[in-house]
Amino acid sequence: MNIIMQFMKRNYKILLVVLTLSVALLGFSLFPNKKESDPEKDKLLIELLTFVIEKGHYNPAEIDDNFSKGVYKDYLNALDPSKRFFLQSDIDEFSKYETQIDDQILNKDLTFFELTYTRLMKRMEESKAYYKEALAAPFDFKKDESFNTDYEHLPYCKSVKDLKERWRLQVKLSALSTLVEKQKLEEDKAKNKEEAAKSTPKTFEQLEKEARESTLNSLNDNFSFIKDLDREDWFSVYVNAIASRFDPHTSYFAPNEKERFDLSMSGKLEGIGARLQKKNDFTEISELISGGPAWRGKQLETGDVILKVAQGNAEPVDVVGMRLDDVVKKIKGPKGTEVRLTVKKQDGTIKVITIIRDEVEIEETYVKSSVVEKDGFKYGVIYLPKFYIDFEDQNSRDAGKDVAIEVERLKKEGVQGIVMDVRDNGGGSLKTVVDIAGLFIDQGPIVQIKSAAGKKEVLYDRDAKVQWDGPLVVMINEFSASASEILAAAIQDYKRGVVIGSKQSYGKGTVQNVIDLNQFVRGNTFGDLGALKTTTQKFYRINGGSTQLEGVKSDIAIPDKYSYLKMGERDIDNAMPWDKIDPADYKIWDKQNNFDLTINKSRARMQNNPQLQLIDDNAKWLDERNKENVYSLNIDKFKAEQKALEEKNKKYKPIADYKNAFEFKSLPYEEETMKKDPVLKEKRDRWHESLSKDIYIEEAIHILNDLQSENNKGLSNKVKKDKVVIKS
């Protein structure tokens, strides 16, 4: 997750660190007239990177043999994640450097990199012949073979013969998947009389040949991308293997990557509106951007694995094993153009999804709210996708100011409870989370921050005004991280509201700062050196506990489809540890006298809810499916497996078809705007539709209702019965 706590731009302590580093590195002079691929630049970058990290990182790891082993493992996995290039003999040769990388880093020795880079280029060139040979003749899809995609536990091939066989099985699986898709299309055409009359049915032999040609074209395209990569690109892989061993959120941005990072921070792009992440040899959907074309289409989901990408009516290109940057290039494109994604769903089924690219508007990163009624009460839902702010423009929108405005608008509508929804919110500005938490409490501490030097700083809400003192629910899930966790933790520690959602949030309790490496050198003739994102601080709850690894545990944990999958910070091997410091001085909110009773009522409701039981059962099944990596290459068995998955998936169809009993509406000011803005109306209609199918929002509203005092309930009933108008 590229989460930058922008608050750090105004933190004078970090500025002092940067100044100190600048002075210390003043002696680094660059060699003139060197090309960008010159090893001298690489040596300088290694020296610069490790120096900056060691001086500026919150808790830098010691560069020793254990560090070396970690870099060795991560780097080789990044170079050859599916183990289809290197031979075991290569690994045996590399292994003597497993505990020497630390020494090479300190001595600016590039021997290990040069060896692995040269060997990889050689093996990749050889591999072209392997897949071309495998795809030259028809496959026997009646033969009883299988292929294991558990690359992590797969051994390296001992011989070229074994490697050729691995390539054969892998491309056969790809061709089989394409063949089955093509057969389904033919079957669908046959069922449609008009379509059937227009074309002659294709034979199995024709379809099989087309499937092999499609796989060949995809691999050729993949290798053409690889050919475009230069030594500097591969050196960035090595540098990142070093940087990420300090902690998962420390990374190096090569110049072009820094540009993409800056673009992503602006929040405006043209494409499908999805964020991707690499998992071994596969590209996975990590997030759908609210309001984007993929989100609107309702077919692509978080966790889907992209297997192929096609432009319009063109043949799909296999992207398995392709670099993430290259997959992104294929998926991105001008507004109005079509892209077709072949994806593997969480349940194992294969689906082709067509998306028309569009501009993903920055507006959809902003807060929005809705109103809903239950038992004569009106409640508000505030959805905050990101803790946004622009520190360079004090007059621009920021999450703190915008949430305060939404609270006032909801109060004007007479709501008697508020849901703060920060599900899928990966974080953002530390300043805004302090402002937002302060809306719901008297003045007091919100979060504690500890620097590398060990000094603690407490960030306070110093405004005695409580903008909302009524019932409050905060919603989180496994993807609520960083600033979202600070908000949920503060509300929980004050006992100000009820935190509901996943068993626990993501567990990112660290602060990163992006440092431009060019500022530390003089006479730079090498060009742009890129930037470093490094962990500079750690934040803690006001009760003293860290949110690192453990995240925030919900007061009321509700099962979801990702409950049993490994998706959090705690599942990363070199994540920073959990710890605690002394608590801050704070006073628990004492105006909610039925807090514990409400939690007990909610838990009782969930125990008897068949929909939640079905969701939990589905989550367990998805976890089981995630562990199954062996695919039959026999077409009859492959089809039977796919059909069985589809049949099993029917059991869970009621999850998608669920509808709660609530009607969600926009606030009056937005209703007026939507009359002139059909695009906004479409976005809000879709959001309200998703809320009406959301069992978690439904439970949040029940909780708000339970938090109402008996006196308020009596008053509400009297207002309904006597139609009394009360004026303040």
Side-chain angles (χ1 to χ4, degrees):
M1 291 188 178
N2 290 326
I3 303 165
I4 304 301
M5 308 302 270
Q6 296 291 341
F7 174 80
M8 298 313 302
K9 286 189 176 182
R10 294 298 184 201
N11 193 312
Y12 74 96
K13 294 177 181 177
I14 292 301
L15 293 177
L16 287 176
V17 170
V18 171
L19 287 172
T20 302
L21 292 174
S22 298
V23 173
L25 291 168
L26 196 59
F28 288 141
S29 60
L30 297 175
F31 296 85
N33 303 320
K34 294 287 186 179
K35 296 179 180 179
E36 287 192 345
S37 60
D38 196 305
E40 293 301 331
K41 177 185 176 182
D42 299 335
K43 292 177 181 179
L44 173 71
L45 187 57
I46 290 286
E47 182 179 12
L48 191 60
L49 191 80
T50 53
F51 187 91
V52 172
I53 292 176
E54 287 186 317
K55 297 298 181 182
H57 194 278
Y58 176 80
N59 184 27
E62 186 176 351
I63 302 179
D64 56 13
D65 286 354
N66 285 331
F67 184 90
S68 180
K69 289 177 181 178
V71 174
Y72 177 85
K73 177 185 175 183
D74 292 349
Y75 175 55
L76 290 184
N77 184 59
L79 292 184
D80 189 12
S82 56
K83 297 178 181 175
R84 58 178 175 174
F85 295 121
F86 290 134
L87 294 167
Q88 183 60 51
S89 58
D90 297 323
I91 303 302
D92 292 340
E93 187 177 351
F94 300 158
S95 64
K96 69 179 181 181
Y97 295 100
E98 186 175 10
T99 59
Q100 294 181 24
I101 297 174
D102 56 321
D103 301 310
Q104 293 196 1
I105 291 171
L106 297 175
N107 296 321
K108 293 179 287 183
D109 184 348
L110 303 179
T111 303
F112 176 63
F113 168 73
E114 295 289 3
L115 173 63
T116 53
Y117 167 69
T118 304
R119 189 64 49 82
L120 180 65
M121 295 302 101
K122 182 176 185 291
R123 295 299 184 218
M124 282 184 168
E125 188 62 31
E126 293 169 347
S127 296
K128 293 179 185 178
Y130 304 158
Y131 73 76
K132 288 177 181 178
E133 179 184 334
L135 291 165
F139 286 114
D140 180 4
F141 287 116
K142 292 295 182 180
K143 190 174 181 180
D144 199 11
E145 294 181 310
S146 63
F147 184 65
N148 189 343
T149 60
D150 183 10
Y151 300 117
E152 183 180 354
H153 299 101
L154 208 63
Y156 287 96
C157 293
K158 293 182 178 180
S159 66
V160 171
K161 180 181 178 181
D162 292 341
L163 190 57
K164 284 184 176 181
E165 178 65 3
R166 180 169 295 177
W167 271 99
R168 185 187 72 82
L169 294 174
Q170 188 159 6
V171 298
K172 185 177 181 180
L173 176 60
S174 180
L176 176 57
S177 173
T178 302
L179 174 60
V180 171
E181 288 174 25
K182 289 180 176 293
Q183 285 184 322
K184 285 182 180 178
L185 289 174
E186 288 296 312
E187 291 170 4
D188 291 341
K189 284 182 184 178
K191 294 175 184 176
N192 187 314
K193 292 182 179 180
E194 291 184 10
E195 288 290 329
K198 292 179 184 178
S199 59
T200 303
K202 293 181 179 179
T203 65
F204 176 86
E205 288 73 21
Q206 287 175 309
L207 295 176
E208 192 275 341
K209 183 179 179 182
E210 287 181 4
R212 280 187 291 114
E213 289 174 347
S214 176
T215 302
L216 178 63
N217 291 335
S218 294
L219 285 165
N220 285 339
D221 195 57
N222 188 11
F223 273 82
S224 72
F225 273 109
I226 293 173
K227 186 178 179 181
D228 290 339
L229 300 177
D230 56 26
R231 183 183 180 282
E232 186 175 345
D233 292 317
W234 293 107
F235 189 68
S236 290
V237 176
Y238 180 57
V239 171
N240 257 308
I242 296 171
S244 63
R245 285 316 299 179
F246 287 92
D247 81 280
H249 305 289
T250 292
S251 59
Y252 168 66
F253 291 142
N256 59 337
E257 292 169 340
K258 177 62 165 58
E259 289 177 12
R260 285 193 289 272
F261 176 77
D262 292 338
L263 180 64
S264 70
M265 291 300 289
S266 72
K268 193 172 185 180
L269 54 100
E270 288 187 354
I272 67 170
R275 291 191 173 91
L276 313 178
Q277 65 181 8
K278 201 73 175 176
K279 283 200 172 179
N280 292 324
D281 216 25
F282 300 100
T283 301
E284 183 178 278
I285 302 294
S286 63
E287 179 187 353
L288 297 180
I289 299 173
S290 177
W295 178 84
R296 294 199 302 267
K298 301 181 181 179
Q299 295 187 75
L300 204 62
E301 297 178 290
T302 299
D304 286 352
V305 174
I306 301 174
L307 304 177
K308 300 178 183 180
V309 180
Q311 311 299 327
N313 295 322
E315 277 290 318
V317 174
D318 191 341
V319 297
V320 175
M322 192 178 289
R323 285 201 334 162
L324 183 61
D325 284 352
D326 298 332
V327 179
V328 171
K329 288 176 185 176
K330 288 188 172 297
I331 295 174
K332 283 174 63 179
K335 177 180 178 180
T337 57
E338 178 184 284
V339 62
R340 287 183 293 120
L341 306 181
T342 301
V343 302
K344 177 185 174 185
K345 309 295 286 185
Q346 286 280 340
D347 58 19
T349 56
I350 308 295
K351 189 174 182 181
V352 178
I353 298 173
T354 299
I355 302 173
I356 304 299
R357 299 179 179 103
D358 199 354
E359 184 177 274
V360 183
E361 297 181 50
I362 196 169
E363 178 66 28
E364 284 308 308
T365 66
Y366 294 150
V367 66
K368 58 188 175 184
S369 62
S370 179
V371 291
V372 61
E373 292 188 17
K374 174 177 170 57
D375 297 341
F377 288 93
K378 188 181 286 186
Y379 300 112
V381 177
I382 298 176
Y383 174 57
L384 182 65
K386 185 178 182 181
F387 291 85
Y388 51 88
I389 196 171
D390 184 352
F391 278 101
E392 305 306 321
D393 182 2
Q394 296 297 321
N395 297 318
S396 68
R397 296 182 65 171
D398 74 59
K401 291 186 289 189
D402 287 355
V403 170
I405 291 170
E406 293 304 313
V407 170
E408 284 303 312
R409 286 169 172 166
L410 291 172
K411 284 168 66 176
K412 187 176 179 181
E413 290 304 300
V415 301
Q416 292 170 288
I418 290 177
V419 177
M420 273 296 306
D421 185 357
V422 290
R423 291 176 295 176
D424 302 320
N425 184 324
S429 162
L430 194 56
K431 177 187 180 299
T432 59
V433 72
V434 173
D435 292 341
I436 292 170
L439 300 175
F440 306 111
I441 64 163
D442 297 320
Q443 59 185 353
I446 303 299
V447 63
Q448 304 186 90
I449 301 176
K450 189 179 176 185
S451 65
K455 189 172 182 180
K456 184 179 77 172
E457 181 182 4
V458 182
L459 302 187
Y460 288 88
D461 165 45
R462 300 190 182 280
D463 185 355
K465 178 185 176 184
V466 182
Q467 190 163 3
W468 177 255
D469 63 359
L472 177 67
V473 168
V474 177
M475 299 187 69
I476 62 172
N477 64 7
E478 297 94 338
F479 305 107
S480 300
S482 201
S484 297
E485 295 172 292
I486 294 174
L487 176 64
I491 296 301
Q492 191 175 64
D493 289 346
Y494 276 106
K495 286 197 88 171
R496 173 60 187 88
V498 179
V499 177
I500 74 166
S502 304
K503 184 178 179 181
Q504 70 178 69
S505 55
Y506 185 82
K508 181 184 178 293
T510 56
V511 182
Q512 281 71 46
N513 193 39
V514 176
I515 302 171
D516 184 355
L517 295 178
N518 296 290
Q519 66 183 299
F520 301 128
V521 291
R522 65 184 181 188
N524 187 350
T525 57
F526 280 125
D528 196 344
L529 292 168
L532 178 70
K533 177 165 69 75
T534 187
T535 297
T536 54
Q537 294 179 312
K538 203 170 181 181
F539 56 74
Y540 296 82
R541 304 170 65 135
I542 56 175
N543 71 6
S546 172
T547 59
Q548 178 64 16
L549 291 187
E550 291 193 1
V552 177
K553 293 179 171 61
S554 296
D555 296 314
I556 302 168
I558 307 176
D560 62 42
K561 67 188 296 183
Y562 305 113
S563 294
Y564 302 98
L565 298 178
K566 293 182 177 181
M567 308 184 84
E569 182 95 355
R570 61 198 176 279
D571 301 311
I572 305 173
D573 68 346
N574 66 321
M576 294 180 69
W578 178 90
D579 63 340
K580 64 180 180 178
I581 59 176
D582 293 336
D585 185 15
Y586 67 100
K587 183 180 179 182
I588 290 177
W589 184 268
D590 59 2
K591 299 176 184 177
Q592 191 68 61
N593 54 18
N594 53 356
F595 189 87
D596 294 331
L597 178 62
T598 295
I599 291 176
N600 291 333
K601 283 185 177 181
S602 177
R603 289 172 177 166
R605 267 193 304 272
M606 288 193 297
Q607 285 180 349
N608 300 315
N609 190 312
Q611 185 74 2
L612 291 176
Q613 291 170 2
L614 185 63
I615 290 172
D616 189 55
D617 184 55
N618 185 34
K620 292 176 181 176
W621 181 61
L622 289 175
D623 184 45
E624 293 172 4
R625 286 290 311 153
N626 197 47
K627 297 171 184 174
E628 294 179 17
N629 301 293
V630 179
Y631 293 86
S632 175
L633 301 181
N634 176 288
I635 191 168
D636 296 323
K637 291 184 178 180
F638 184 84
K639 285 182 175 179
E641 289 170 357
Q642 290 294 306
K643 186 175 181 181
L645 288 173
E646 290 172 2
E647 288 298 316
K648 179 71 173 179
N649 203 36
K650 288 179 182 178
K651 174 184 176 181
Y652 304 114
K653 193 173 182 296
I655 295 175
D657 295 339
Y658 182 79
K659 199 172 189 318
N660 58 48
F662 299 120
E663 182 181 358
F664 297 85
K665 298 179 180 178
S666 288
L667 275 64
Y669 86 94
E670 200 168 61
E671 293 281 0
E672 289 300 315
T673 305
M674 288 190 295
K675 291 177 182 179
K676 302 175 184 178
D677 188 349
V679 175
L680 178 62
K681 185 178 188 307
E682 179 192 357
K683 290 178 180 178
R684 292 300 180 262
D685 286 346
R686 289 184 179 276
W687 181 44
H688 293 155
E689 182 184 358
S690 68
L691 290 176
S692 70
K693 302 180 74 173
D694 192 332
I695 193 170
Y696 309 102
I697 282 286
E698 178 182 31
E699 181 57 27
I701 294 167
H702 286 316
I703 291 169
L704 286 179
N705 211 50
D706 290 338
L707 286 171
Q708 299 292 336
S709 68
E710 292 301 318
N711 289 338
N712 281 344
K713 287 184 177 179
L715 178 60
S716 175
N717 291 333
K718 179 174 175 58
V719 170
K720 286 177 65 181
K721 182 178 179 181
D722 299 336
K723 297 181 180 179
V724 175
V725 177
I726 302 175
K727 295 182 179 179
S728 57

